[in-house]
Every structure is written in structure tokens, then in C-alpha cells.
Amino acid sequence: MCGIVGYVGHEEAVPILIEGLRRLEYRGYDSAGVAVLQGKKIEVRRSVGKLANLEKSLRERGLTGEAGIGHTRWATHGKPSEANAHPHRSGPCVLVHNGIIENYLALRQQLQKDGYEFESETDTEVVAHLISSHLKKGLRLVEAVRVATSEIRGSYAIAALSETEPDKMVVARSGCPLVIGQHKGASFVASDVMAMLTHTRDVTYLEEGDIAVVTKSSVEVMLADGKPVTRPVSQVTWDADAAEKSGYPHFMLKEIHEQPQTILDTLRGRYSFETGEADVPDVTMTKEQFARAGKIWIVACGTSWHAGLVGKYLFEEMIRVPVQVDIGSEFRYRDPLVEKDDLFITISQSGETADTLAAAREAKRRGARVLSIVNVVGSTLARESDDVLYTHCGPEIGVASTKAFTGQLTALYLLALHLGRMRNTITAEEGKAWLERFVMLPALVRRVLGREAELVSMAKRYHTKRNFLYLGRGINYPIALEGALKLKEISYIHAEGYAAGEMKHGPIALIDKDMPVVVMAPRDRLYEKTVSNLMEVKARGAPVIAFVTEGERELGKAADSVFTVPDVPAVLTPILFTVALQLLAYHVAVLRGCDVDKPRNLAKSVTVE
Ligand code: G6P
């Protein structure tokens, strides 16, 4: 996903911009560029591919200057190419943009009629020309940006520089995040706070529709109509080192191993053994308000959607309320039967996923109460929700989500307990019993991680296969989906997750000796049924990889490979199986020589639909 950085100060801009872009690399991108005010002229350098290519071009033709903007682009309109990379120039103005301009075709035609020539296929160039056309009429840069943003429809975070006003950057946001930081006579701009953490931790998040004029010593924020507005300065508490690999070969492996800590951090201080309740003060919904909710909705995308599916099983068991789970992109274009006072839960690591955000806005419009489980503090979803339950996982850099997912499951356990106590479907005694199990999770996950070597051997045995099937039942059906997603995301092996009982309605046709079948078979009430499904697989010659709970014997004999997790109540098994499946996917991908942290075509945060 695209990333924006900007700098105005007393130091050379290029190294600062490149360092900022490097910190945004984890978001996924296919080209990059910078523009720097050199003397009175703005010079642009752009290249396709990794940042190293841009750095090479900057070494060949240096750029000096103390104000500049930079961008990593993840193609939406037009292929990855130098011409389509940002910054885009029009007259004296250069611009970087995240998001999508929906009415760009109409604007492009109008601008072409007015004599503007387009060098790229992007929607962004339209905005550059619009701003430039307003500068030509004598408007100041801020006014030109303000008028231009009133003419575009869609989502954007932009940063613009102009040769006509060399001492400033003008930035604006609507639908995409933008943050401004200041430190010792210098100002920084970025689409993600991570880009500026080595320079400052005092930051201002722009709100929807805000425009800001940023100089080395000042930040003036205004609303879309030009009225000045004050936005608070917040302190970022986690440091940039949290974003380093700490000796692990990949961020993903580091993040997998951080899970005992991140689960603990998500639980920490949020329960009371005395009352058997979850203590989640950010969820301000009252008992009466929840009593009015006829239904619980859970909407999310990708891995977060899998967490939502686990949530359904948890909530229906612990709260006894109907739960509907939807994918964000499906929900937003239906006419969903959301009723006033329904509880609408969204789950998102980034808090910026366009489809999830749109679903939350739609639900709010229909009178539902929106509660979001989010990892990124201050993200748009967090700010727009009635209630927020943060997962305290720290920044997740690996594109394939790992610790954020188990953090989401942990938050869902807490929420299920909280809501169950509100509805009296869980007594204080039962609440205490649940809590006792939850707090054991970090230690149990550590035990799974301690047996990584077994998963490395398993990966060695199967990494050359081209297709995998993942099966699970009940609360572990979503874990089969997540296990398959993890494998396909980072190893590019085709993998499908299926409800074990549904296997004979189709996928069984694919099964042969070259298709390993991974199955989750905890000793729960569905165990016998899962074993029968496996025997069907076995009879067709497929290698069976069984993930079971301690004490299991039958499958141990029948399966080709077995991995055992601690024996815990069924509702807790998803986290333990997940951690093992993450490690399996990781080691398969490494053995296949894949770029684990930045898988091809994927983006960390999908802020366009
Ligand atoms: C992208 C990421 C996934 C993530 C999904 C939803 O597709 O690659 O890992 O699960 O977006 O992201 P969110 O930030 O809303 O959880």
C-alpha cells in the first residue's frame, strides 16, 4: 500500500525521506520516488521496484535541499512504472498521493480540454494539474489545495510542494491517514507514524477533511472550508526499535515469537479474578444498551475476518446471541438488515482497511453501535467507533498477519466474557474459570513455540508439494482457513481451507498422494467426526498432517505427521493451532526461498477498495 513521507527542516532532506520510506516498506509497494526543493527548483527522482533502485538513481544524480516529499506506490491506476510513480509534477507544483480519485476520468478530460498534458496513467496526476491550475489563477498553495480537494471525489492523503512557496508543504487527508510530527525546528509528515519515530514522538493526526500548512517551525491545520482548527498533539509510546528484527531473520518470525508477550499485553490489566469479569473501560456500552441489541455483527477482511469467524463460535457459546459474520467488501454493497441498536463489531489490525471502514460507517448510519477491535492506536476506525478494544500487539511489520490475529482472538475472549457477564449467560464463578484459562495462554503458546524444530522437519518433508488442503471443524474451521491463507500468502503454494464435514462435497475429488491434508483434530465433541473425515482422506492416499491435543492416540497412528499442542478446553485450541500453522507456513516459505516479509502482490494495509 502506498506510503507518504515529507520533511521541512535544516538538514538534507533526501536521507530523511529515504529512511522514512524504508520504514514504510513493510506496507508493500512497487515503485518509489522523492522530490526535493533544490535552490529554487523542485527536482524529482523516481524508480520502479525496491527503494535500492531509487537510492542508486540518487547516487548517480544527487539531490540536495532541505524540503522534500517522498512516496512508495502500490499500483491502483496504471502499471508500476517510472512515469506512474509519484511524485507527480504540474507546473511549479509536485504532489504525492495515497488513495483513489473516483472522478478522475471526468476531471482528466476537462483538464485535457484546458490544455494540460498527462504523462502518466494515474489518478494522482489529475490532482497535481488541478492544484497547478489554481496556482495559475493566483491562489496560494494552501488555497489551491483546498479548492482542488473540494473538486475531487474519493479517498486521499496528499502532500504538495510548490516552487512558488518554497518554505512549506501543504498536506490534506480524506479517507487515508496522515500524521504530522515536529522536532527541533523541523517538521515531518507521513502516512504512518512509523516513518518519523526516529525523529519525534510528538505527533498530530489529521482528521477527515483536514488541510495543513507545514513549515519547519509551524503547523496550521484547517477544516475543508478553511476555518482554522486545533488538533491535539499525542505522544507515541512505543519506540522505533520495536520495529526492528531483534536478531530474527524475518519480521514474521520475530512476530510469531512475540505472541506470548502480545497475548499477555492484550490481557494485562483487563480482568478481575474477584468478580470474574473482564475490565475493558474503553468499551463504554452499558448493560441496557447491549440489552437492546437484537444481533451481533462482525465485519472484517482477510485474517481479521478469520478472527471474526472464531468470534462467532465464541459469542454464540458464551453469550447466546445470534452472530452474523461478514467480509467488509461484501457487507458494504448489500442492503444488510442491520437494525438500530445492533452491536456491530469490526476487527482490523491497521484500522485503515477501506472496506471495513466503509462497513462501519454504513452500520453507524443505520443506527448500530460500532465497537472495533484494532491494533493501531489513533487509526481511523478507532477514532470513528463508539467503542474500541485495542489489541496491544505493537507494530506488525510482516505483511502476513500473525501476532495481530492472536491478539484479536485474545480480545474476542475478553469481549465474550464481558458481554456474557452483561447478559448473565456467564456467572461470576464461570467467569473466574474462563479467566483462569485465558491467563494460561501465554505459557501455552510458549510451549508450542518451544517445539518449532518439529515444524521445521514437517516443512522439509512437504515444502515441494504444490497443493494443500486444510480441514477443521467448529471453532477450528476458521483456523483451517487461516492456516491455508498463511501458507498461500507467503509460500505461493495453492492451499484451501475447508470445513472438515464439507470435504466430501467437492474437495475430495482433488485428493491424491500429492496433496497433503492438514487437519485440526482436538479432543472435543467433534473429534470422532473429524477422525472419520480423515480416514476418508487416508483411504485416497493423501499424506495426512494432524494437529492434535496431548493424549490423543488414534490419529497419531493413522497420520503421516503429527503435531501435538497442550490439552486445553476446545475454545482455546484456535490460538495454539494457529501458532503452529504460522510456523509451518513460515518454514515452508523459507525453504522455497520466498520473500517472507514482503510477499508478492500483497499489501499490509489495504486502504482502497
Ligand atoms: C491485507 C493484509 C492482511 C490483513 C487484511 C486486513 O490483506 O495483507 O494480512 O488481514 O489486509 O487488514 P486489517 O488491517 O483490517 O486487519
Side-chain angles (χ1 to χ4, degrees):
M1 193 59 29
C2 304
I4 288 177
V5 295
Y7 173 78
V8 204
H10 303 282
E11 292 177 47
E12 279 301 325
V14 165
I16 293 172
L17 296 175
I18 295 287
E19 187 215 336
L21 291 177
R22 195 167 299 296
R23 291 199 176 274
L24 300 184
E25 272 193 300
Y26 72 97
R27 298 166 65 90
Y29 67 104
D30 46 50
S31 53
V34 292
V36 171
L37 187 79
Q38 189 161 259
K40 289 190 172 139
K41 300 292 282 174
I42 295 173
E43 295 289 336
V44 177
R45 298 278 188 284
R46 302 178 293 188
S47 351
V48 179
K50 300 282 181 202
L51 272 179
N53 300 346
L54 178 63
E55 286 179 289
K56 185 164 171 270
S57 125
L58 284 162
R59 273 195 302 275
E60 283 159 12
R61 283 193 309 140
L63 269 187
T64 57
E66 292 162 3
I69 52 180
H71 193 262
T72 43
R73 173 174 186 258
W74 188 70
T76 55
H77 290 72
K79 60 187 177 302
S81 68
E82 195 175 318
N84 286 337
H86 301 207
H88 289 282
R89 177 197 286 277
S90 177
C93 160
V94 292
L95 176 87
V96 288
H97 162 233
N98 287 358
I100 287 184
I101 309 301
E102 287 169 4
N103 57 338
Y104 89 104
L105 268 179
L107 291 170
R108 187 177 168 117
Q109 279 157 11
Q110 185 53 50
L111 286 159
Q112 277 167 333
K113 270 192 210 142
D114 297 345
Y116 286 91
E117 277 174 25
F118 282 78
E119 287 170 8
S120 77
E121 304 155 273
T122 65
D123 49 342
T124 305
E125 200 181 350
V126 161
V127 190
H129 286 319
L130 272 181
I131 296 173
S132 175
S133 71
H134 298 309
L135 288 174
K136 229 186 235 169
K137 290 177 208 147
L139 294 189
R140 288 179 309 127
L141 180 60
V142 59
E143 277 305 298
V145 169
R146 201 170 72 74
V147 179
T149 50
S150 72
E151 292 163 326
I152 56 184
R153 224 178 40 237
S155 58
Y156 58 83
I158 56 175
L161 288 178
S162 174
E163 288 163 357
T164 53
E165 293 166 63
D167 52 348
K168 66 180 64 143
M169 257 181 302
V170 173
V171 298
R173 78 154 274 179
S174 178
C176 293
L178 206 60
V179 57
I180 303 170
Q182 284 201 292
H183 187 65
K184 289 193 179 154
S187 296
F188 306 83
V189 163
S191 50
D192 182 327
V193 73
M194 188 97 80
M196 59 179 73
L197 278 189
T198 46
H199 302 286
T200 180
R201 7 200 87 252
D202 298 324
V203 302
T204 304
Y205 292 95
L206 290 189
E207 298 280 337
E208 290 295 89
D210 282 357
I211 297 166
V213 181
V214 182
T215 69
K216 55 182 88 161
S217 53
S218 68
V219 176
E220 287 167 33
V221 186
M222 64 199 69
L223 301 172
D225 61 9
K227 281 205 194 87
V229 67
T230 309
R231 298 292 177 214
V233 176
S234 21
Q235 263 264 320
V236 179
T237 47
W238 44 267
D239 56 62
D241 285 351
E244 300 298 337
K245 286 188 203 148
S246 317
Y248 287 97
H250 296 100
F251 281 112
M252 183 178 174
L253 189 61
K254 169 177 171 264
E255 287 159 5
I256 290 173
H257 279 270
E258 277 172 355
Q259 290 176 109
Q261 186 62 45
T262 50
I263 292 169
L264 185 69
D265 289 343
T266 302
L267 286 171
R268 201 195 295 275
R270 285 169 153 179
Y271 54 85
S272 153
F273 271 120
E274 282 75 58
T275 58
E277 282 180 30
D279 183 9
V280 281
D282 289 346
V283 178
T284 56
M285 176 178 57
T286 61
K287 198 171 176 165
E288 292 67 37
Q289 282 167 328
F290 184 45
R292 291 201 293 273
K295 191 171 184 178
I296 299 179
W297 296 77
I298 307 182
V299 175
C301 300
T303 288
S304 299
W305 174 63
H306 296 155
L309 290 172
V310 173
K312 177 184 169 76
Y313 287 90
L314 268 186
F315 286 8
E316 290 187 347
E317 175 166 340
M318 293 172 70
I319 320 173
R320 310 297 304 150
V321 178
V323 180
Q324 165 132 7
V325 186
D326 262 276
I327 293 167
S329 55
E330 285 297 314
F331 176 89
R332 65 184 292 191
Y333 291 114
R334 280 199 279 125
D335 186 8
L337 299 171
V338 176
E339 301 284 341
K340 189 170 172 315
D341 298 329
D342 278 356
L343 174 58
F344 192 88
I345 299 173
T346 64
I347 306 177
S348 174
Q349 188 285 126
S350 62
E352 303 294 348
T353 302
D355 288 325
T356 307
L357 207 47
R361 287 174 181 156
E362 179 59 24
K364 220 169 176 182
R365 205 180 60 74
R366 290 170 189 245
R369 188 176 180 92
V370 176
L371 185 160
S372 293
I373 296 176
V374 174
N375 192 39
V376 178
V377 177
S379 56
T380 310
L381 193 58
R383 281 185 282 120
E384 292 191 8
S385 300
D386 299 302
D387 297 303
V388 186
L389 185 52
Y390 282 115
T391 50
H392 295 312
C393 299
E396 188 180 65
I397 313 292
V399 167
S401 186
T402 52
K403 63 177 179 173
F405 178 67
T406 50
Q408 290 163 349
L409 297 189
T410 307
L412 284 164
Y413 288 133
L414 282 174
L415 192 59
L417 174 59
H418 180 61
L419 299 178
R421 294 287 286 122
M422 267 188 175
R423 282 251 164 146
N424 291 325
T425 53
I426 298 175
T427 64
E429 281 313 305
E430 286 165 344
K432 284 179 210 172
W434 279 119
L435 284 171
E436 271 160 18
R437 294 169 195 146
F438 296 168
V439 298
M440 283 166 63
L441 277 167
L444 296 171
V445 168
R446 208 165 283 123
R447 276 171 61 190
V448 174
L449 291 170
R451 297 194 10 243
E452 186 171 359
E454 291 172 46
L455 295 157
V456 175
S457 311
M458 202 183 267
K460 283 186 181 148
R461 189 163 171 191
Y462 300 106
H463 74 280
T464 53
K465 300 287 182 196
R466 299 183 61 193
N467 298 286
F468 275 68
L469 187 63
Y470 283 66
L471 300 177
R473 270 181 179 266
I475 201 163
N476 283 305
Y477 160 50
I479 302 309
L481 298 180
E482 175 58 12
L485 178 67
K486 222 66 323 162
L487 187 72
K488 78 179 99 166
E489 278 180 321
I490 58 170
S491 73
Y492 317 138
I493 293 174
H494 168 245
E496 261 190 272
Y498 241 83
E502 186 68 7
M503 184 196 58
K504 50 175 115 37
H505 300 290
I508 199 162
L510 299 172
I511 289 173
D512 65 16
K513 63 174 182 27
D514 289 323
M515 184 161 184
V517 176
V518 178
V519 65
M520 262 65 62
R523 268 254 163 229
D524 60 9
R525 67 196 163 82
L526 297 171
Y527 173 77
E528 310 291 343
K529 296 188 185 302
T530 311
V531 173
S532 314
N533 297 140
L534 262 200
M535 292 310 164
E536 291 156 11
V537 169
K538 198 72 208 144
R540 283 155 186 87
V544 172
I545 308 173
F547 285 78
V548 299
T549 38
E550 272 160 11
E552 125 75 43
R553 291 206 165 73
E554 273 172 72
L555 278 181
K557 279 186 238 133
D560 299 84
S561 301
V562 181
F563 186 84
T564 311
V565 302
D567 189 14
V568 289
V571 289
L572 297 186
T573 51
I575 287 191
L576 305 186
F577 286 141
T578 296
V579 172
L581 294 179
Q582 291 167 347
L583 285 171
L584 175 64
Y586 171 81
H587 288 292
V588 167
V590 169
L591 287 165
R592 291 170 72 93
C594 300
D595 189 352
V596 176
D597 283 334
K598 290 183 216 101
R600 69 185 181 208
N601 304 337
L602 293 182
K604 181 72 188 155
S605 175
V606 181
T607 53
V608 294
E609 64 173 296

